[in-house]
């Protein structure tokens, strides 16, 4: 067992030297909902367990801008800048005394068939291509808030002949993440875990600096939840979120996956 763990650690260390994707993730609107852990249990990737905060389990609907994307160091033609909206939950794994806190995705929306196909091929993630659009308000050219501290984002996707949306209006100035806060729990997961077709799990590392966040004056999800995510999420995602915040984002590096 010890030899297997050492070999896995060596493989993981080597994989961190091989960047798969680099990009900017910006304007991350995160709407967070407490959920019965039984709803997620069958979706937990093998080798991980649900990550909880104060005994509570969360799912998050996250909308953000994916900018300046490069795969293996090469810009993706015509697909460098695009919207993404995903539904995710939180898992953890212990390796040689280290706790690796990560995310697992239920579904990810992007506006391009090519992007969705690449992601499904590389990670077996549940990516879906839909028409999408966005509005970013109250920012200057650098992405900073205007002089009044206002900031708003809207992410929309077309499903079943109507536009669904995630809308966020910020309140007050941006603040650093407070250690131990719910915002830190949601934002600071630096691994991804994905169940594969044969039932095994892949792990990949995501690297970025800590973000600054704005609290919500208003945050709404207008979505046909049952059609998009399934009936088990209908009640949870149809009510107001238990928390919501907006992260400024940063440059990110996603390393190549390794099979656990």
């Amino acid at each position: 067992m010890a030899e297997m763990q050492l070999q896995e650690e060596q493989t993981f260390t080597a994989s961190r030297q091989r960047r798969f994707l680099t990009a900017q993730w910006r304007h991350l609107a995160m709407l967070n909902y407490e959920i019965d852990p039984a709803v997620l249990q069958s979706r937990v990737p093998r080798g991980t367990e649900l990550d909880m905060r104060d005994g509570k389990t969360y799912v998050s609907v996250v909308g953000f801008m994916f900018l300046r994307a490069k795969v293996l160091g090469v810009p993706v033609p015509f697909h460098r800048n695009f919207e993404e909206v995903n539904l995710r939950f939180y898992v953890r794994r212990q390796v040689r005394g280290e706790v690796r806190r990560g995310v697992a995705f239920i579904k990810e929306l992007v506006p391009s068939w090519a992007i969705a196909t690449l992601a499904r091929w590389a990670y077996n993630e549940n990516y879906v291509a839909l028409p999408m659009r966005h509005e970013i308000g109250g920012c200057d050219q650098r992405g900073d808030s205007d002089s009044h501290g206002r900031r708003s984002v809207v992410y929309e996707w077309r499903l079943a002949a109507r536009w669904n949306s995630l809308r966020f209006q910020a309140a007050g100035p941006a603040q650093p993440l407070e250690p131990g806060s719910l915002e830190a729990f949601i934002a600071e997961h630096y691994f991804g875990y994905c169940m594969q077709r044969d039932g095994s799990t892949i792990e990949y590392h995501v690297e970025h600096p800590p973000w600054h966040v704005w609290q919500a004056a208003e945050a709404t999800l207008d979505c046909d939840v049952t059609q998009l995510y399934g009936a088990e999420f209908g009640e949870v995602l149809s009510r107001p979120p238990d928390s919501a915040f907006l992260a400024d984002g940063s440059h990110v590096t996603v390393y190549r996956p390794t099979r656990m």
Side-chain angles (χ1 to χ4, degrees), residues 42-97:
S42 65
R43 301 173 183 267
V44 175
R46 181 184 299 173
T48 71
E49 61 183 3
L50 287 172
D51 194 8
M52 301 182 182
R53 181 180 183 273
D54 296 334
K56 297 179 180 180
T57 304
Y58 291 91
V59 294
S60 301
V61 180
V62 180
F64 65 102
M65 293 303 302
F66 212 124
L67 306 174
R68 304 176 188 174
K70 293 183 180 180
V71 176
L72 301 177
V74 178
V76 183
F78 310 110
H79 298 296
R80 295 199 67 193
N81 303 320
F82 53 91
E83 306 91 345
E84 179 174 324
V85 173
N86 62 58
L87 176 61
R88 72 188 202 179
F89 63 99
Y90 304 95
V91 297
R92 57 189 286 156
R93 177 185 181 222
Q94 294 195 31
V95 180
R96 297 171 66 88

Side-chain angles (χ1 to χ4, degrees), residues 13-256:
T13 300
S15 73
R16 289 192 61 177
Q17 308 307 314
R18 301 196 300 272
R19 298 179 179 183
F20 178 74
L21 180 145
T22 60
Q24 298 270 338
W25 290 352
R26 294 290 182 181
H27 313 297
L28 296 100
M30 300 185 172
L31 278 58
N32 313 300
Y33 303 80
E34 186 181 349
I35 192 171
D36 182 347
V39 175
L40 301 174
Q41 200 59 57
S42 65
R43 301 173 183 267
V44 175
R46 181 184 299 173
T48 71
E49 61 183 3
L50 287 172
D51 194 8
M52 301 182 182
R53 181 180 183 273
D54 296 334
K56 297 179 180 180
T57 304
Y58 291 91
V59 294
S60 301
V61 180
V62 180
F64 65 102
M65 293 303 302
F66 212 124
L67 306 174
R68 304 176 188 174
K70 293 183 180 180
V71 176
L72 301 177
V74 178
V76 183
F78 310 110
H79 298 296
R80 295 199 67 193
N81 303 320
F82 53 91
E83 306 91 345
E84 179 174 324
V85 173
N86 62 58
L87 176 61
R88 72 188 202 179
F89 63 99
Y90 304 95
V91 297
R92 57 189 286 156
R93 177 185 181 222
Q94 294 195 31
V95 180
R96 297 171 66 88
E98 174 195 3
V99 177
R100 296 180 181 172
R101 301 178 61 240
V103 301
F105 293 96
I106 295 166
K107 184 171 287 187
E108 294 153 282
L109 310 180
V110 290
S112 165
W113 175 87
I115 296 167
T117 300
L118 175 63
R120 287 195 297 265
W121 170 78
Y123 293 96
N124 194 41
E125 299 276 20
N126 187 20
Y127 271 81
V128 175
L130 292 173
M132 300 184 73
R133 62 192 184 190
H134 72 278
E135 295 180 12
I136 308 293
C139 305
D140 62 20
Q141 291 182 350
R142 296 175 301 174
D144 295 328
S145 297
D146 67 13
S147 59
H148 300 286
R150 296 172 299 200
R151 174 170 289 205
S152 63
V153 299
V154 179
Y155 297 104
E156 296 183 298
W157 57 98
R158 190 168 179 83
L159 177 68
R162 82 171 183 95
W163 286 97
N164 297 237
S165 66
L166 184 164
R167 298 175 180 270
F168 184 99
Q169 177 68 53
Q175 300 289 342
L177 285 169
E178 182 180 345
S181 66
L182 177 59
E183 291 80 8
F185 172 82
I186 296 294
E188 299 209 309
H189 283 78
Y190 293 100
F191 290 86
Y193 295 96
C194 183
M195 189 181 302
Q196 301 300 285
R197 294 180 181 87
D198 63 0
S200 64
T201 299
I202 61 168
E203 174 188 74
Y204 55 92
H205 181 62
V206 180
E207 193 172 69
H208 62 77
W211 295 329
H212 287 67
V213 299
W214 291 260
Q215 297 301 316
E218 182 179 355
T220 58
L221 178 66
D222 177 15
C223 174
D224 188 337
V225 175
T226 298
Q227 181 172 0
L228 185 60
Y229 297 122
E232 63 268 41
F233 297 101
E235 181 178 354
V236 172
L237 299 183
S238 295
R239 58 177 170 79
D242 295 293
S243 78
F245 62 92
L246 179 72
D248 55 357
S250 65
H251 180 272
V252 300
T253 299
V254 180
Y255 292 90
R256 293 188 183 184

